[in-house]
Amino acid sequence: MTDERTRLRRKREELDAELSALGAVLDGMEVSTDAMDDAIAAATEARDTATDAFLPADRLPETVTADTRGVVASYLDSIGELQDVRSDEVELTDDRLQAEAKRATDARADIEEISAALDRIGDRIDEAETTVADAREDLDDTRSRFTDDLAVLAARFETFDIALSPETLGAVIDDRLPERRSEMRASVERIEERVVDLTTRQSTLATERDELQSIDGGGSCPTCNQTVGSDRTASELEAIEEELGQIEHRLETARREREELLAGIEELEELRGTAISLRSLKSETVASAAGRVEDREANLADLRADHREARSERAEAKAERTRADATVATLEIERAGLEADIDRLGAKTDAGATCLDAFELVEDLQAELETRVEERSAQEAAYEETEAERASIDVELEALTDE
């Protein structure tokens, strides 16, 4: 029983929330319906005012109703018929005027079109001048970058006794650099041969020194098997040590020279890569920048020629417009009265269309109100159904409490 009461209480809470939501919706619908009533009243008043202004007294009924729309439409048709009559009356004048008006219109259209084209060409000329300036600046920057990079590279090449200039760049890359690299490698090989010779001599002297040291104080020379005194041994050892010191110094010098040459060869390879990139900059980037300058200058020249031609064409169109306007002005005086009448009828037609729109708006608002009333009725039914279900739950809860 406790579980059932809990379930019913939860269900009641859900229904309370639903009733609250439905109540809020109904309140909103009531406000919306009131607003629709106000809108219909305002639209009806505007319709009646427009009808009073449009219909002549002999066609205006005492009270404007939905049926009055037919009277408005009929009168609007009669105005259209009257406009047709007036148009027929001016047909001959219009025929005469049409040809001259067309000449003037065509001339104006030509002037507008040519003026627009001149504006576009002028804009394109401005853009082209900017692009030419940009291209020239880019070319100058590229040439300057090439010159600066070449100067830096030339300074580094000087350490290798290689003269570098814009004219000798290709020869340096293809001929002088390989030659200098070969010379340096040959020097490395000569140094390595010298190192081998010195190392061999060093080893020989070291052996002789060790043997002489072993007989220091008297004995037989290991080389000639003759008896050697201590004074002679000391003299020979001193000479050997002196030569060994010289050899060690020469070896250190040779090894240092070899490392410097190897580092120079490696640097030379790096410089060759930089030189190749610089040659590409000259042959491709600089040439491309120069080509862009040439192309853009040619385009600018074409645009300026087009601009001169368009100005000449516009001058001719303006002369044609002046002649046509003079003829049109004469003909328009003859039909000014008829145009005024047609304009008045046109304004009346606009007023009639506005009046019909007012009738249509009232009808649309009334249909919308009917729809909203139906929706509110359905919402009220849902509210009542929910209230009944809520009351039923209260009854069940009371029954469970009594038990």
Side-chain angles (χ1 to χ4, degrees):
M1 292 180 62
T2 300
D3 293 341
E4 180 63 15
R5 279 197 296 271
T6 299
R7 185 189 68 79
L8 290 172
R9 288 191 183 105
R10 289 177 179 172
K11 181 63 177 177
R12 183 174 61 186
E13 291 174 356
E14 293 174 0
L15 291 173
D16 286 342
E18 185 175 349
L19 284 170
S20 177
L22 289 170
V25 172
L26 283 171
D27 291 342
M29 286 184 167
E30 183 176 359
V31 171
S32 176
T33 302
D34 292 342
M36 284 296 300
D37 287 336
D38 293 341
I40 290 172
T44 301
E45 182 179 355
R47 178 200 65 185
D48 295 349
T49 300
T51 303
D52 289 343
F54 177 67
L55 289 177
D58 60 341
R59 294 188 181 228
L60 184 65
E62 293 182 4
T63 302
V64 177
T65 64
D67 294 337
T68 309
R69 179 175 184 173
V71 179
V72 171
S74 175
Y75 183 56
L76 185 60
D77 291 340
S78 67
I79 291 175
E81 293 172 358
L82 185 58
Q83 283 180 306
D84 293 339
V85 171
R86 292 291 180 269
S87 296
D88 291 340
E89 292 175 353
V90 299
E91 183 175 354
L92 293 177
T93 304
D94 284 343
D95 289 343
R96 293 176 55 203
L97 186 60
Q98 184 177 2
E100 295 302 324
K102 187 177 184 305
R103 283 180 59 200
T105 300
D106 290 345
R108 287 186 175 86
D110 290 343
I111 293 170
E112 290 179 2
E113 183 178 350
I114 295 170
S115 296
L118 280 169
D119 290 341
R120 290 193 298 271
I121 295 172
D123 292 339
R124 291 176 62 191
I125 287 174
D126 292 340
E127 293 174 1
E129 288 174 345
T130 300
T131 59
V132 167
D134 291 343
R136 288 172 178 167
E137 182 178 357
D138 181 54
L139 177 59
D140 291 342
D141 290 344
T142 304
R143 285 173 172 166
S144 177
R145 179 157 56 92
F146 171 78
T147 302
D148 293 344
D149 292 349
L150 185 69
V152 172
L153 191 60
R156 296 183 65 185
F157 271 128
E158 287 179 359
T159 60
F160 296 94
D161 296 328
I162 296 176
L164 183 66
S165 67
E167 294 75 18
T168 63
L169 178 60
V172 167
I173 293 171
D174 298 331
D175 302 324
R176 187 68 186 98
L177 279 176
E179 291 172 359
R180 188 70 182 92
R181 184 175 52 206
S182 298
E183 293 170 359
M184 294 174 71
R185 284 179 177 165
S187 297
V188 169
E189 292 173 359
R190 287 194 296 271
I191 291 173
E192 289 176 345
E193 291 174 358
R194 188 170 62 195
V195 168
V196 170
D197 293 341
L198 289 171
T199 303
T200 301
R201 178 59 179 164
Q202 185 184 47
S203 177
T204 301
L205 288 173
T207 301
E208 291 178 2
R209 179 192 60 191
D210 294 342
E211 291 175 348
L212 285 173
Q213 286 176 343
S214 68
I215 64 172
D216 189 16
S220 299
C221 175
T223 304
C224 61
N225 293 322
Q226 294 180 356
T227 301
V228 180
S230 59
D231 292 340
R232 180 183 173 187
T233 300
S235 175
E236 290 182 358
L237 282 172
E238 183 180 352
I240 288 173
E241 290 293 347
E242 182 180 353
E243 186 176 353
L244 282 171
Q246 293 174 353
I247 289 173
E248 184 62 31
H249 176 71
R250 292 168 64 190
L251 280 171
E252 290 177 0
T253 301
R255 292 188 182 108
R256 185 175 62 254
E257 289 176 355
R258 181 183 62 183
E259 293 303 319
E260 290 175 354
L261 283 169
L262 290 174
I265 291 172
E266 184 176 348
E267 182 181 1
L268 207 59
E269 286 297 324
E270 177 189 347
L271 292 177
R272 184 173 183 272
T274 303
I276 290 173
S277 299
L278 198 57
R279 180 168 63 180
S280 297
L281 174 65
K282 178 182 179 182
S283 62
E284 297 175 7
T285 308
V286 174
S288 176
R292 284 195 298 273
V293 170
E294 183 178 350
D295 292 342
R296 292 176 183 182
E297 286 177 342
N299 179 58
L300 178 59
D302 291 341
L303 289 172
R304 286 171 174 165
D306 292 342
H307 198 267
R308 288 192 297 271
E309 182 179 353
R311 285 203 307 270
S312 175
E313 292 176 355
R314 185 173 63 177
E316 294 177 2
K318 285 182 177 180
E320 177 68 10
R321 180 197 59 188
T322 299
R323 291 189 294 268
D325 282 344
T327 305
V328 167
T330 301
L331 293 173
E332 283 181 344
I333 293 173
E334 299 176 5
R335 55 167 305 197
L338 293 174
E339 278 189 336
D341 194 23
I342 291 174
D343 289 342
R344 181 183 61 79
L345 293 173
K348 197 68 175 176
T349 299
D350 292 340
T354 301
C355 188
L356 288 179
D357 289 342
F359 275 93
E360 185 174 353
L361 176 60
V362 171
E363 293 172 1
D364 291 344
L365 290 173
Q366 288 172 341
E368 176 66 17
L369 177 62
E370 291 176 2
T371 300
R372 294 190 182 184
V373 169
E374 292 174 359
E375 291 175 350
R376 181 177 178 183
S377 297
Q379 201 73 9
E380 288 173 342
Y383 187 89
E384 292 171 358
E385 182 180 347
T386 304
E387 276 189 325
E389 186 177 356
R390 169 72 166 73
S392 175
I393 288 176
D394 286 341
V395 171
E396 290 184 43
L397 282 171
E398 290 177 3
L400 289 174
T401 302
D402 293 341
E403 292 177 4

